[in-house]
Amino acid sequence: MSNKKKPAAGARRPASAGLRAQAQRAKERRTRRRRATAVAGCIVPLAGIGVLGTLIADRSADDPSVARAASGPVKVPAAAAPKAPTTLSYGPAHARNTLDVYEDPRCPMCGILERSVGREVRRLADQGTVKVNYHFAVFIDRAAGGTGSRFAVSALGAAADRGVTCFQRLHEELFADQPDETDDGFGNTGHLLDLAARVKGLRSPSFDAAVRDLRYLPWAESVGKEFQRSGPDGTPQMELNGQRLDVFSDRGEPLTPSHLTRLVRERGA
């Protein structure tokens, strides 16, 4: 499990050989899979905009343009929680249950967990059972080097400015095709735009410019600092109504959709 307090790249709870093999098989399946523009549409419609992504070179953390973007004014996404501007929420504001999700876009264990229960989390929110609060960490950029965690969170901020549905669908796409922890693939804004093209209605000139120009990078930096200040000691983690859930078994198996639903039913309000 990734842990922000350890400087070693990829520090996390040890995984069993079986879990590593499972993750590798899943990665190979995702590589073979050819998906169309997929998924349900965003709140904001796409009006005749082309979705051909332009490949933009990776920019390292010490690139002056990245430093300038990071030091700019903080633009809070429209869909951010009013009283918690570093948190992105999905689901009805007055749902009886609150599910807090803590993750880093580059954390491989977060990817395994999201690919196991992510759609069930969305289903529970869509049916009004839970409100989901997403808290993002960016510590793998410091531990392993690169900018991918921050750039991915910045892109999620740009999507959230177009609506919570856009954010949720892009979030799903990022974890569906998550690169290896040591591969700073999300540090390439062109690649992020290619993934965004799979979300119907998300690509537009304004969204593309926000991703390329790192318009939400100062916000992503503030998100990371808030996680450092008040978040848990590692990712992934989930809390249901303030109570921490066991997201991996002792054998390294991720929480399943049916188990999550049962926990919400048994421990929920």
Side-chain angles (χ1 to χ4, degrees):
M1 180 183 297
S2 297
N3 192 309
K4 65 184 176 183
K5 294 183 181 294
K6 295 183 180 180
R12 59 185 183 273
R13 184 172 62 188
S16 67
L19 180 57
R20 290 184 182 279
Q22 175 188 347
Q24 181 60 34
R25 289 194 297 271
K27 184 176 180 179
E28 290 171 355
R29 286 196 299 270
R30 294 195 306 276
T31 300
R32 292 193 300 266
R33 184 178 46 174
R34 300 273 183 180
R35 297 178 58 182
T37 34
V39 293
C42 295
I43 291 174
V44 181
L46 183 67
I49 303 300
V51 294
L52 295 178
T54 301
L55 187 63
I56 298 176
D58 293 348
R59 284 179 280 184
S60 64
D62 56 1
D63 187 318
S65 67
V66 174
R68 285 194 299 271
S71 62
V74 175
K75 178 176 173 56
V76 178
K83 296 183 179 180
T86 59
T87 301
L88 294 179
S89 299
Y90 183 79
H94 302 293
R96 294 171 60 187
N97 300 290
T98 299
L99 183 68
D100 288 281
V101 179
Y102 300 87
E103 56 194 12
D104 185 313
R106 291 178 68 182
C107 166
M109 301 297 279
C110 295
I112 291 171
L113 181 63
E114 277 292 334
R115 290 187 291 273
S116 178
V117 299
R119 290 190 178 183
E120 183 66 7
V121 168
R122 173 157 59 91
R123 188 188 71 81
L124 290 169
D126 287 343
Q127 70 180 22
T129 302
V130 301
K131 178 183 76 169
V132 189
N133 293 328
Y134 290 94
H135 310 265
F136 294 104
V138 296
F139 52 81
I140 292 181
D141 281 356
R142 293 187 296 274
T147 59
S149 294
R150 285 170 290 163
F151 281 21
V153 174
S154 177
L156 288 170
D161 210 36
R162 291 176 62 80
V164 292
T165 305
C166 288
F167 152 68
Q168 177 62 27
R169 299 303 190 270
L170 180 59
H171 174 269
E172 187 173 302
E173 290 298 330
L174 291 179
F175 281 103
D177 277 284
Q178 183 190 48
D180 185 82
E181 183 178 18
T182 58
D183 177 359
D184 196 32
F186 288 158
N188 186 308
T189 54
H191 178 56
L192 292 172
L193 288 173
D194 287 342
L195 294 178
R198 297 176 177 177
V199 180
K200 185 179 179 181
L202 178 55
R203 294 289 299 270
S204 71
S206 61
F207 171 80
D208 290 5
V211 173
R212 290 192 180 104
D213 299 342
L214 304 175
R215 194 169 303 162
Y216 290 87
L217 185 58
W219 174 78
E221 297 280 2
S222 68
V223 167
K225 289 177 181 177
E226 177 60 23
F227 190 100
Q228 287 286 116
R229 187 186 71 81
S230 61
D233 60 359
T235 60
Q237 289 195 32
M238 287 183 174
E239 295 177 358
L240 177 62
N241 299 329
Q243 183 178 3
R244 183 170 171 173
L245 303 180
D246 292 325
V247 294
F248 282 89
S249 71
D250 292 339
R251 297 191 300 273
E253 298 166 338
L255 187 67
T256 65
S258 60
H259 189 190
L260 175 62
T261 300
R262 185 168 69 250
L263 288 174
V264 172
R265 184 172 61 249
E266 294 173 352
R267 301 185 189 180

